[in-house]
Amino acid sequence: DAGVIQSPRHEVTEMGQEVTLRCKPISGHNSLFWYRQTMMRGLELLIYFNNNVPIDDSGMPEDRFSAKMPNASFSTLKIQPSEPRDSAVYFCASSPRYNEQFFGPGTRLTVL
Amino acid sequence: AQTVTQSQPEMSVQEAETVTLSCTYDTSESDYYLFWYKQPPSRQMILVIRQEAYKQQNATENRFSVNFQKAAKSFSLKISDSQLGDAAMYFCAYRSATGGGADGLTFGKGTHLIIQP
């Protein structure tokens, strides 16, 4: 198994631009999670899906952030418009129910 | 809401020695999972060990073991025979079991482990 796949691995963009982060979970996992890691706030849960349905998006910082999971093998996290304070590492993780979460390699986002 | 506290921002240990990383958590739930994740400089999050709250026996994985004290809400990680490859950030994490086991993780701030050769 290839593990959780995230793209891009690095993204540099300018303030005001739209950013889309992508995630392919491990096949057969029915839960998908988006986390953000910063020096100041550590690792934070943004949103998670069970069976492609968003369950809890209370961690999404602002309306500029949105996430979708159109099918069991793909999810996106979109920031529009992006701001410098959005600079962080964004992780996607997937999990079979009742089990531990497997993390992707992360996307390092830099907003100038 | 649950909180996870790691009181040691940084720890240092000599190679081949034993080190213990501390973690405490706050919850009103009785059923949950606890984890230790390792994050090396590559930033990949790697699961080290997991513990189910309903199990009294402490989990072990080779050189890694935990001391789970449910009443004290404490979950420490012991690394025996430390190796240079153990150098990393270590995160303690909590996961509720009330949502059917599919909830997100709550992380501590992490402990930076340095291995002295």
Side-chain angles (χ1 to χ4, degrees):
Chain A
D1 199 322
V4 176
I5 298 172
Q6 290 187 248
S7 64
R9 293 293 306 276
H10 303 272
E11 176 80 23
V12 180
T13 190
E14 292 189 346
M15 183 174 62
Q17 296 298 306
E18 178 179 296
V19 175
T20 299
L21 310 182
R22 296 173 176 81
C23 176
K24 177 178 169 57
I26 294 172
S27 177
H29 286 191
N30 54 10
S31 297
L32 183 140
F33 307 81
W34 283 100
Y35 293 89
R36 179 172 68 174
Q37 185 177 30
T38 61
M39 288 295 292
M40 290 295 293
R41 300 176 66 90
L43 278 154
E44 304 173 281
L45 175 68
L46 299 178
I47 185 172
Y48 73 93
F49 298 82
N50 285 342
N51 297 317
N52 312 338
V53 176
I55 302 301
D56 184 356
D57 66 354
S58 60
M60 297 285 262
E62 299 173 34
D63 291 344
R64 299 183 296 105
F65 286 70
S66 62
K68 294 181 180 179
M69 191 166 186
N71 57 62
S73 59
F74 184 66
S75 177
T76 59
L77 178 67
K78 184 177 294 186
I79 308 172
Q80 166 63 21
S82 58
E83 297 183 3
R85 61 196 167 118
D86 301 331
S87 297
V89 178
Y90 291 81
F91 286 101
C92 175
S94 71
S95 171
R97 202 173 182 185
Y98 301 115
N99 229 318
E100 60 264 24
Q101 296 179 15
F102 296 82
F103 282 74
T107 295
R108 179 176 293 280
L109 173 64
T110 302
V111 183
L112 303 174
Chain B
Q2 296 80 25
T3 59
V4 177
T5 302
Q6 294 179 247
S7 59
Q8 306 152 315
E10 187 172 278
M11 292 282 285
S12 181
V13 64
Q14 292 285 333
E15 193 176 3
E17 296 295 308
T18 295
V19 64
T20 298
L21 308 183
S22 301
C23 173
T24 59
Y25 58 94
D26 188 24
T27 183
S28 59
E29 299 174 335
S30 60
D31 197 13
Y32 48 86
Y33 306 91
L34 296 165
F35 305 88
W36 279 97
Y37 279 87
K38 169 185 177 181
Q39 187 178 41
S42 67
R43 78 168 179 249
Q44 178 71 50
M45 295 290 288
I46 302 165
L47 178 68
V48 175
I49 200 165
R50 63 175 279 171
Q51 174 80 43
E52 290 87 346
Y54 65 85
K55 291 186 178 178
Q56 293 187 339
Q57 186 173 8
N58 289 322
T60 62
E61 287 288 342
N62 300 313
R63 298 182 294 108
F64 299 87
S65 61
V66 298
N67 184 3
F68 173 48
Q69 301 289 328
K70 191 172 184 179
K73 296 181 182 175
S74 172
F75 182 61
S76 61
L77 174 70
K78 185 171 81 171
I79 306 174
S80 304
D81 185 25
S82 298
Q83 300 176 359
L84 294 177
D86 295 333
M89 285 291 291
Y90 285 81
F91 293 95
C92 179
Y94 173 102
R95 184 179 190 182
S96 173
T98 57
D103 289 351
L105 294 167
T106 300
F107 285 93
K109 293 295 186 185
T111 296
H112 181 210
L113 179 63
I114 298 168
I115 310 295
Q116 305 279 5

